[in-house]
Amino acid sequence: MQPRSMAARDWVFQVLRAAIVRGLLPGDMPLRQDEISAALNVSHIPVREAFRQLEAQGLVRIYPNRGAIVTKLSLKEMIDIMDVRALLECGALRQAIPIMENETIETAEAVIQESLQITEPNRLEELNSCFHFTLYEPVQNQMLFRLIEQMHANVDRYIRAYYNESIYHQISKQQHMELLDACKKRDTDLAVSILYDHIDGTKALLEPEK
């Protein structure tokens, strides 16, 4: 059911985006406007507008006379996106730490504590994103945040398979705690180094075994 506070276009966008990121709508799958309109009980207009929003994020491509199709990234494209993520997120963290207040640290710590009690993949994904964006929030750069979110959306769908692996969670949570500790100490260089290794380790999951 559509939230009353949300425009139909934005709601359809969020529903489709979540389905793509969670792998329910895999790469190369056509998106049928009529079927989506009927399934979500909305007119064609918000569906078309949602398709354009998804295209702007790189999750969908719209072809003349063919309609919208979920994008499927090559390995090279995924690796390139992870490299861009490292640049954007390390830059955001480097700017954030000098102006980071204790409230930000406390919020990030609460996110970690909740993640220690959760095993459900979708919620773990949400908490992972929440932790990172909490640390970047002091920068107050919405354009930067949108770019980072776009990078996450494009690659997270290929990493989700590892969310069920306990070893992945153990390593990720340990790195989160180390990162938070560096932020508490306002050790910018150490925090950025930990974050880079964290993202680089995630990138390694996408690469075939050598």
Side-chain angles (χ1 to χ4, degrees):
M1 182 179 294
Q2 178 186 340
R4 291 183 180 179
S5 61
M6 186 178 292
R9 172 201 63 196
D10 296 329
W11 178 67
V12 174
F13 165 73
Q14 292 294 344
V15 169
L16 294 178
R17 183 184 184 278
I20 292 171
V21 171
R22 293 174 181 177
L24 301 176
L25 298 174
D28 290 336
M29 173 177 277
L31 298 179
R32 310 294 184 192
Q33 185 174 279
D34 291 344
E35 294 175 4
I36 293 171
S37 296
L40 299 181
N41 195 28
V42 296
S43 70
H44 288 179
I45 294 174
V47 176
R48 284 198 301 269
E49 292 174 340
F51 284 175
R52 294 191 190 99
Q53 287 180 284
L54 291 166
E55 185 178 40
Q57 286 207 343
L59 296 173
V60 159
R61 289 195 180 98
I62 300 175
Y63 297 93
N65 304 318
R66 290 180 59 195
I69 297 177
V70 179
T71 57
K72 184 176 182 179
L73 300 180
S74 67
L75 176 61
K76 175 65 165 58
E77 288 172 323
M78 288 188 280
I79 297 304
D80 287 347
I81 287 173
M82 292 303 296
D83 287 340
V84 172
R85 267 190 60 184
L87 289 170
L88 293 176
E89 296 190 47
C90 288
L93 186 64
R94 185 172 291 281
Q95 291 183 48
I97 288 177
I99 55 175
M100 191 174 288
E101 298 182 354
N102 289 335
E103 183 179 357
T104 296
I105 300 292
E106 292 168 2
T107 300
E109 194 159 30
V111 172
I112 288 179
Q113 290 304 313
E114 182 178 352
S115 72
L116 296 176
Q117 311 301 320
I118 299 294
T119 58
E120 200 277 315
N122 290 336
R123 183 56 182 159
L124 283 171
E125 178 191 2
E126 292 171 356
L127 291 171
N128 177 71
S129 179
C130 181
F131 172 76
H132 285 278
F133 277 96
T134 295
L135 295 182
Y136 312 149
E137 190 272 339
V139 177
Q140 290 293 298
N141 186 328
Q142 296 305 313
M143 176 64 73
L144 175 60
F145 298 160
R146 283 195 293 270
L147 289 172
I148 295 173
E149 183 182 22
Q150 180 179 336
M151 299 299 105
H152 274 268
N154 273 277
V155 175
D156 282 357
R157 50 184 164 149
Y158 298 99
I159 300 173
R160 285 185 58 78
Y162 298 95
Y163 279 27
N164 290 320
E165 296 186 9
S166 59
I167 186 65
Y168 173 78
H169 289 307
Q170 291 171 10
I171 294 172
S172 179
K173 289 172 183 176
Q174 180 62 35
Q175 289 174 330
H176 281 183
M177 288 188 284
E178 291 173 359
L179 175 56
L180 183 60
D181 187 59
C183 290
K184 285 180 181 178
K185 296 173 181 175
R186 304 303 194 270
D187 190 332
T188 301
D189 289 339
L190 177 59
V192 169
S193 177
I194 293 170
L195 178 59
Y196 180 86
D197 289 344
H198 178 62
I199 296 173
D200 196 55
T202 303
K203 182 177 75 170
L205 297 175
L206 301 168
E207 298 177 306
E209 292 185 7
K210 297 179 177 132

